[in-house]
């Protein structure tokens, strides 16, 4: 029996460069199916639901929808609120009042958890209802998925930034430390490796939350690279931890800020980068030591998008609607790699993803724990898209010295 | 009488996204003229000259030269060394030994100063010699010039970054402070204004080194914007100064690092951003206050280039050779705006530029000293290039509330 009613779309968690492609994919696909009578968008995720802050996406032009799809960040705004049982009861009053029968929530593992709680509550309420989680996160930390929409574009930003910084340090020498997002998963930081074209190119060192960060080893690593190349470019994850598993950044922050999911706020401060530069400067007496914290620029930069990521983000939106109608069950749309390189989409039970975190597997991290492997580079390459800008060096021969004063 | 001999190219100061276009422009043009027998490149600016670290650019393929032209940062490497009279004597020994008669130095106002010193020394030595300064700086602070190659691309990066951040803050609200390069000139920070498309778009506040930064006014400005929009996006120049003219960042750094030109190192630390976020958080009790220091990412990011900037950087290289041969004098190639928008190139005496700094003129800064004017936006627009990515918002109508719990 067909389930007829309205659809509701919401976006949760941190924004990405392609999250609106998924939203536009849902809207475009939903318009093709008679079961979905109207398509609402909730403003600010689950907050927008209990407040009945809806907009009628059926009354959006196709042209503008496509323009919004190409605009980074969450066009429906976002939230960090995690609903509990009471919050869910409020949600259902609203859903019932508006006859909403399809709920599409675009977000990460916390959002998958939210969809799971909402769908469980629907069963308790005997409310006929489809709840679909649509994947999104620059952290690439969703289990089951080969990778997640948003990651490829953020990874591309990180790769392009490190390619530029490597050239900068090549011109003026010194040590450079770039702090990259990703929380407890190292995927985004690891993407810096795609900046390497020539054999001596940085990042020469990559530190991930999946391996303990030992300051003495870090100093020794930097010294070795600097002595060899006259420069050292380092990618460091914001989530690096000491041997006891405590995030390094925790020791630097006076006020620890957490969201409703219990996540520590790691971005929005240069403290970790400043600590590491100071440590290198003191230990190695190198004068030119610089650090940048990539922060919020990396996840929504206008005009740095992986075409592959863009296309897949669109498709997971379309598949969410198709699965909801064809399979008649709740779940998460998951991405699976097939061959080298295509993808397949599946519907996976929410409980398999909700609240879980995927980490960099061992085969993606080198034995020394300070860089990635060829297996990771091979994994990453297709996600960045095919039109990456390239880097060239001069290859002109040296001129023989005449005076030889030196 | 024609001056026959070798040409030497060098690059000085901070790298840019298009500095290699100027180098390639010089090489391509020089190859067309018989007076120039061979084209050398000095590695690491003036350091490369006294060390005779030359490469023979006549033996570089056209294809690779074009690839390098599109690669950011200084392909001939750079230096912060400022030659004194003794250093110049050493330079001339080398120039004479290699029969170098044309010297093209691509750089900012410090490099113009270097070219000036070198050309004066040539006169004292009665060495027949042409010394040409080719403009470059992301700071856009060269006098005489309407703008400088490198600025348009860096400005585009800043604009695209702020466009993304504005959308990010729109989705999750809060206060965002982005620290932008530019030393004592506000041009690069001011470019953040190009991120504004919709009336309520950030950056809502822009603080420049050309106006005193009063912390109480800053807090009051942020509060006003935040109360109105629920978010506040702020662009702050790294070079902002207090009422006494002391850079704010000076009070935050334990060790003040200076280059040989006496410039304070302002980048490579998140200290200024962290100070401002802490101040806003304490004064206004807003929990989500974030800061990013754009740092080194902004000047060499691979793949973020203004086509206009790229083209002009190429042309100043070509014109440098043409002026050197046709005008038979020393000088700096300067860019002059004609109409809206084309440019003309002139040869300007080095003494008019050397060591001088251009600041944002009063008509580019609003009366409150916390944003730019329409005149600045009009000045900036053509420099960013015509193919800027655009931003769209959803325009779907609100759905009437049914339960109206709130």
């Amino acid at each position: 029996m067909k389930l007829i009613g309205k659809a509701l779309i919401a976006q949760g968690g941190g924004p990405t460069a392609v999250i609106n492609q998924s939203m536009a994919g849902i809207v475009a696909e939903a318009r093709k199916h008679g079961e979905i009578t109207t398509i609402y968008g909730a403003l600010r995720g689950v907050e927008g639901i209990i407040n009945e802050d809806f907009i009628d996406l059926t009354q959006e032009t196709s042209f503008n929808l496509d323009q919004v799809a190409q605009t980074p960040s969450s066009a429906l705004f976002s939230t960090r609120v995690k609903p509990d049982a009471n919050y869910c009861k409020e949600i259902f009053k609203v859903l019932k009042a508006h006859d909403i029968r399809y709920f599409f929530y675009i977000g990460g593992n916390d959002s998958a958890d939210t969809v799971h709680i909402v769908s469980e509550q629907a069963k308790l309420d005997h409310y006929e209802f489809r709840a679909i989680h649509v994947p999104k996160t620059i952290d690439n930390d969703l289990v089951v998925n080969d990778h997640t929409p948003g990651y490829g574009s953020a990874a591309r930003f990180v790769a392009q930034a490190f390619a530029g910084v490597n050239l900068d340090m090549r011109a003026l020498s010194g040590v450079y430390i770039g702090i990259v997002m990703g929380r407890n998963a190292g995927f985004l930081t690891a993407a810096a490796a795609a900046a390497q074209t020539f054999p001596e190119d940085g990042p020469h060192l990559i530190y991930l939350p999946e391996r303990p960060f030992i300051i003495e080893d870090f100093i020794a690593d930097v010294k070795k690279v600097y002595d060899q190349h006259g420069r050292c470019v380092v990618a460091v994850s914001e989530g690096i931890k000491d041997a006891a598993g405590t995030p390094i950044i925790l020791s630097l922050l006076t006020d620890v800020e957490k969201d409703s999911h219990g996540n520590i706020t790691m971005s929005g401060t240069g403290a970790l980068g400043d600590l590491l530069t100071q440590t290198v400067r003191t230990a190695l007496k190198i004068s030119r030591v610089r650090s940048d914290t990539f922060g919020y620029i990396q996840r929504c930069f206008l005009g740095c998008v992986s075409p592959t990521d863009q296309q897949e983000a669109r498709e997971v939106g379309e598949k969410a609607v198709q699965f909801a109608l064809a399979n008649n069950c709740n779940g998460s749309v998951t991405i699976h790699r097939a061959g080298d390189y295509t993808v397949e989409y599946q519907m996976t039970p929410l409980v398999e993803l909700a609240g879980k975190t995927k980490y960099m597997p061992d085969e993606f991290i080198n034995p020394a724990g300070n860089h990635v492997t060829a297996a990771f580079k091979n994994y990453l390459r297709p996600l960045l898209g095919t039109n990456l800008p390239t880097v060239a060096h001069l290859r002109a021969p040296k001129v023989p010295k005449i005076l030889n004063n030196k």
Side-chain angles (χ1 to χ4, degrees), chain A:
Chain A
M1 202 193 77
K2 282 186 177 177
L3 178 61
I4 296 174
K6 296 194 185 76
L8 178 66
I9 308 171
Q11 298 173 318
T16 81
V18 298
I19 189 171
N20 293 331
Q21 287 285 359
S22 300
M23 183 271 297
I26 295 167
V27 174
E29 184 64 26
R31 285 183 178 183
K32 298 174 185 165
H33 301 275
E35 296 97 311
I36 297 172
T37 54
T38 317
I39 308 152
Y40 284 180
L43 299 179
R44 300 203 182 276
V46 287
E47 282 184 78
I49 304 180
I50 53 167
N51 296 336
E52 291 179 277
D53 275 337
F54 297 147
I55 57 173
D56 183 359
L57 292 169
T58 335
Q59 296 189 54
E60 182 59 79
T61 66
S62 301
F63 174 78
N64 197 51
L65 207 59
D66 281 340
Q67 294 290 105
V68 171
Q70 289 173 52
T71 300
S73 188
S74 314
L76 291 169
F77 312 146
S78 193
T79 180
R80 294 282 185 190
V81 163
K82 178 181 182 161
D84 57 13
N86 273 338
Y87 204 101
C88 278
K89 281 181 189 156
E90 295 303 312
I91 284 178
F92 279 102
K93 285 184 194 159
V94 177
L95 294 174
K96 283 178 182 169
H98 286 270
D99 189 35
I100 289 161
R101 298 291 175 169
Y102 297 93
F103 176 44
F104 301 99
Y105 201 26
I106 310 166
N109 45 16
D110 289 331
S111 302
D113 202 19
T114 298
V115 177
H116 181 58
I117 296 169
V118 170
S119 67
E120 290 299 302
Q121 191 64 34
K123 284 181 200 161
L124 292 176
D125 280 29
H126 303 290
Y127 183 69
E128 190 69 24
F129 178 70
R130 295 287 156 264
I132 312 287
H133 169 250
V134 181
K136 162 292 329 179
T137 167
I138 63 164
D139 298 345
N140 200 37
D141 62 352
L142 289 190
V143 295
V144 185
N145 292 272
D146 176 76
H147 60 278
T148 45
Y151 173 63
S153 297
R156 192 175 161 126
F157 180 93
V158 169
Q160 291 182 205
F162 271 96
V165 161
N166 178 64
L167 290 161
D168 195 317
M169 291 292 133
R170 191 169 172 262
L172 280 165
S173 89
V175 174
Y176 178 88
I177 299 162
I179 311 291
V180 183
M181 275 186 172
R183 296 193 170 279
N184 300 311
F187 292 100
L188 190 56
T189 306
Q196 296 181 298
T197 302
F198 289 80
E200 72 280 15
D201 277 353
H204 309 93
L205 299 166
I206 300 177
Y207 297 98
L208 309 167
E210 285 84 355
R211 293 289 180 270
F213 184 80
I214 313 299
I215 210 97
E216 293 76 21
D217 295 351
F218 163 67
I219 294 295
D221 289 348
V222 170
K223 184 178 186 323
K224 193 176 161 192
V225 173
Y226 188 81
D227 287 349
Q228 191 186 345
H229 296 295
R231 72 181 191 281
C232 181
V233 176
V234 190
V236 174
S237 167
E238 62 178 8
I240 50 165
K241 298 171 181 69
D242 63 21
T246 307
I248 307 284
I249 202 160
L250 265 193
S251 62
L252 301 170
L253 300 175
T254 42
D255 301 316
V256 175
E257 196 182 326
K258 290 186 180 185
D259 70 12
S260 64
H261 298 269
N263 303 312
I264 302 159
T265 300
M266 293 179 169
S267 298
T269 165
L272 180 59
D274 285 355
L275 169 84
L276 298 179
T277 50
Q278 201 49 52
T279 305
V280 170
R281 205 177 274 132
T282 306
L284 301 181
K285 316 286 179 213
I286 299 169
S287 66
R288 193 167 187 262
V289 186
R290 306 285 184 257
S291 164
D292 289 327
T293 302
F294 285 23
Y296 293 88
I297 309 178
Q298 70 201 301
R299 71 182 184 188
C300 279
F301 190 81
L302 179 66
C304 183
V305 177
S306 155
T308 305
D309 189 28
Q310 208 162 29
Q311 170 203 314
E312 291 175 0
R314 186 82 175 201
E315 284 192 292
V316 292
E318 293 176 6
K319 290 308 296 181
V321 176
Q322 294 173 2
F323 282 139
L325 295 171
N327 295 20
N328 211 19
C329 66
N330 302 325
S332 178
V333 181
T334 49
I335 304 184
H336 305 264
R337 186 180 300 229
D340 186 15
Y341 166 85
T342 66
V343 292
E344 291 166 0
Y345 302 102
Q346 293 177 16
M347 185 76 141
T348 299
L350 288 161
V351 71
E352 290 189 28
L353 287 94
K356 292 177 184 168
T357 301
K358 185 173 80 172
Y359 303 101
M360 286 272 282
D362 289 345
E363 66 263 29
F364 283 178
I365 307 174
N366 74 347
N370 61 11
H371 216 288
V372 300
T373 60
F376 174 75
K377 288 193 177 188
N378 190 52
Y379 163 84
L380 176 65
R381 188 69 60 185
L383 310 184
L384 301 173
T386 52
N387 59 346
L388 270 179
T390 55
V391 160
H393 294 172
L394 288 171
R395 295 175 309 193
K398 281 259 185 187
V399 172
K401 297 188 184 197
I402 294 174
L403 300 177
N404 248 319
N405 290 324
K406 229 179 146 155

